[in-house]
Amino acid sequence: MRGGDRMRGGSGGEKMYNSTTPMPTHQLSDSNRRIMGSHNDNRARNLRVYQAWKGNNIFCLGGRLVFGPDVRSLFLTILLIMVPVVLFSAFVSQRLIEDFQHQLGDYIVVICVILTAYVIILLFLTSARDPGIIPRNLHPPEDEGSSISADWPGSQVSGPSLPPTKDVLVNGMVVKVKYCQTCMLYRSPRCSHCSICNNCVERFDHHCPWVGQCIGKRNYRFFFMFVSSTTILCLYVLAFCWVNIRKIMDTDHCDIWRAFLKSPVSGILVLYTFICAWFVGGLTAFHLYLICTNQTTYENFRYRYDGKMNPYNLGCVHNVLEVFFSKIPKSKNKFRAKVRVDSSGYAAPMQLGHVLSPEMPKRSFDIEVGKRQAVADEDFEDIQSQIDSIGGLERCGTQPRHANWDHKANWEITPDIQVLAAEFGMEPGLADGQKISRDH
């Protein structure tokens, strides 16, 4: 019968299933559930850019905050900053308020709290923003006839072979830029691919585990301000803890060790802030040198411009102005823009403007999704061939040999195959019948 053929139930009763109505999923086998799930997942979906992001970043507040994959270390950094300040304000500052007149002791505590809040704000400005991520292409760029410095074997997926480097002019000097196979683009000068975040970052300096983010063109200024302000905070707490120790020594006429015993929190903070000041102070001095010479940490350790000309060095004054007073460029990524993800994994923008890639892709091909799709299609073709073979047997009026089979066995279409056929719009077998009875 058409549109409502009888299918034999598992409990002996008979149930009516329409060939175009999906069957309940609890009656499917595990293999067919996986096949149907893969096909359903590969349908076009409307997502935002941060939801279809291929990097390792972690997004918060609907894509408004962008963190690195090791954002958990940010909580450790906040703890290392806040705990000493709380101890200083709770124990050390009380004696300072009593010893200093004209409310000077209150000002000491207020300044410490304001400086701490300033450091925390700079920490979030460094960690929770786009450091300068370059959107990856969805297809390899065309070879524009640039000079090839080495043989490039190419890629089986990329199609035509591309040179590994290109020569570009920077301030009259030739600089080689590399091709990134992950992002499928030629990196701009001073750009590098971060293996932790899995992104190409403009003016890549380093990946800082203490802030859980890459340090690049759009957050380097805040990173330096954070490090230098933390140094000032450490020296501030160290200085007033030492002042407290000296006042105890003068008041009680004791040596330094007895003073430490009378105010153990001051002694602990002196030791702690002294060690931290060496660490962040040294880091501040190192980045001051990099700023004055217009280098990045990556370039300093990799290229060593001491023995050769640095094409980016514009002089100490201009280098400082470039870092602290130049306009921070806007992000090249619109993380909240809507895209349509099709069955091949390609995310097509749903609105005008640059979203994922600087140019519209010529073809959409995702290797991982393509592999999963191929496996699912192969399994589905096997099921389809079984349906076609059953239909052919019914048309020719023959029955395959089943010497050792039970005589009661029949060639009826299982509910799993029926649901797959209904899901993908197939017509299994003839239109007038969908099973071959044992009496045929």
Side-chain angles (χ1 to χ4, degrees):
M1 61 183 69
R2 187 183 300 273
D5 302 324
R6 288 190 303 174
M7 301 295 296
R8 188 173 303 276
S11 62
E14 293 184 348
K15 297 181 181 181
M16 302 296 293
Y17 293 108
N18 192 292
S19 60
T20 59
T21 302
M23 187 171 297
T25 56
H26 67 273
Q27 297 186 10
L28 295 178
S29 64
D30 293 337
S31 60
N32 288 332
R33 283 178 185 171
R34 289 193 296 267
I35 297 173
M36 291 185 62
S38 63
H39 281 279
N40 292 332
D41 291 341
N42 288 332
R43 292 177 179 177
R45 295 177 296 168
N46 295 334
L47 301 174
R48 296 190 182 273
V49 172
Y50 76 91
Q51 294 174 326
W53 191 253
K54 293 186 178 181
N56 297 332
N57 300 89
I58 297 176
F59 298 88
C60 295
L61 298 180
R64 293 178 177 87
L65 301 180
V66 186
F67 296 95
D70 49 350
V71 66
R72 294 180 180 177
S73 61
L74 187 64
F75 297 99
L76 175 62
T77 304
I78 295 175
L79 193 66
L80 294 176
I81 296 173
M82 292 298 299
V83 169
V85 174
V86 171
L87 293 176
F88 176 80
S89 302
F91 297 99
V92 181
S93 62
Q94 300 300 323
R95 187 180 182 89
L96 294 175
I97 293 175
E98 296 175 358
D99 293 341
F100 286 93
Q101 299 177 356
H102 306 293
Q103 296 182 343
L104 184 59
D106 295 333
Y107 292 146
I108 293 174
V109 179
V110 171
I111 292 175
C112 180
V113 173
I114 294 176
L115 187 57
T116 304
Y118 178 67
V119 170
I120 297 298
I121 292 173
L122 289 175
L123 174 61
F124 276 100
L125 287 175
T126 304
S127 178
R129 68 186 292 129
D130 178 6
I133 300 174
I134 298 180
R136 62 184 67 192
N137 287 333
L138 298 173
H139 66 91
E142 293 183 353
D143 185 10
E144 299 177 354
S146 58
S147 58
I148 302 176
S149 61
D151 293 334
W152 184 247
S155 174
Q156 297 178 356
V157 178
S158 301
S161 60
L162 293 171
T165 60
K166 291 174 64 175
D167 294 338
V168 296
L169 287 177
V170 177
N171 297 327
M173 300 181 65
V174 177
V175 176
K176 293 185 180 297
V177 294
K178 296 181 179 180
Y179 177 76
C180 179
Q181 297 188 32
T182 302
C183 300
M184 289 188 289
L185 52 82
Y186 280 101
R187 303 168 187 164
S188 58
R190 315 193 85 174
C191 172
S192 183
H193 189 91
C194 176
S195 59
I196 299 176
C197 293
N198 195 25
N199 296 312
C200 280
V201 180
E202 284 187 291
R203 201 185 185 276
F204 177 77
D205 190 88
H206 69 289
H207 184 95
C208 181
W210 296 102
V211 302
Q213 181 65 284
C214 286
I215 307 302
K217 189 173 184 177
R218 298 190 69 250
N219 64 348
Y220 180 78
R221 178 186 306 175
F222 301 111
F223 170 76
F224 177 80
M225 295 172 64
F226 163 71
V227 173
S228 57
S229 300
T230 305
T231 304
I232 295 174
L233 179 61
C234 289
L235 295 177
Y236 184 88
V237 175
L238 172 63
F240 281 101
C241 285
W242 181 252
V243 168
N244 187 43
I245 293 295
R246 292 294 302 176
K247 284 189 171 294
I248 293 175
M249 293 173 62
D250 295 338
T251 303
D252 299 342
H253 303 286
C254 60
D255 56 6
I256 187 173
W257 303 111
R258 290 187 178 273
F260 281 153
L261 292 177
K262 291 180 177 294
S263 179
V265 175
S266 297
I268 294 173
L269 289 179
V270 166
L271 179 62
Y272 176 81
T273 54
F274 179 78
I275 297 175
C276 292
W278 271 105
F279 174 73
V280 292
L283 195 61
T284 302
F286 174 68
H287 279 279
L288 272 176
Y289 162 75
L290 295 179
I291 291 172
C292 293
T293 58
N294 206 333
Q295 299 183 60
T296 64
T297 304
Y298 180 80
E299 292 170 349
N300 181 263
F301 283 93
R302 185 176 180 87
Y303 298 115
R304 296 290 183 179
Y305 286 129
D306 297 336
K308 55 183 178 180
M309 290 293 296
N310 180 4
Y312 311 104
N313 192 355
L314 303 176
C316 182
V317 176
H318 289 86
N319 294 337
V320 173
L321 293 176
E322 179 182 338
V323 173
F324 293 106
F325 298 99
S326 62
K327 184 179 179 180
I328 298 177
K330 294 183 179 180
S331 174
K332 295 184 177 180
N333 302 277
K334 299 179 181 179
F335 296 108
R336 290 183 51 79
K338 291 185 178 181
V339 294
R340 180 179 295 275
V341 180
D342 61 14
S343 59
S344 62
Y346 155 61
M350 298 180 62
Q351 59 185 21
L352 296 177
H354 178 76
V355 177
L356 289 178
S357 162
E359 56 181 343
M360 290 300 294
K362 296 184 179 178
R363 61 177 179 174
S364 59
F365 180 76
D366 187 89
I367 300 175
E368 296 180 358
V369 178
K371 288 181 179 179
R372 294 193 297 266
Q373 179 72 17
V375 172
D377 291 342
E378 182 180 354
D379 294 339
F380 190 76
E381 288 175 0
D382 294 340
I383 300 174
Q384 181 181 358
S385 62
Q386 295 178 14
I387 298 174
D388 294 339
S389 63
I390 295 173
L393 290 172
E394 192 173 272
R395 287 190 295 270
C396 64
T398 60
Q399 183 177 359
R401 291 177 297 177
H402 44 281
N404 297 327
W405 292 4
D406 187 3
H407 181 67
K408 295 182 180 180
N410 54 35
W411 281 83
E412 60 185 24
I413 303 176
T414 63
D416 297 356
I417 299 177
Q418 175 70 18
V419 172
L420 290 173
E423 180 72 18
F424 298 97
M426 295 174 51
E427 283 293 336
L430 295 177
D432 295 331
Q434 293 187 345
K435 71 172 184 176
I436 304 173
S437 65
R438 58 181 176 270
D439 300 330
H440 185 76

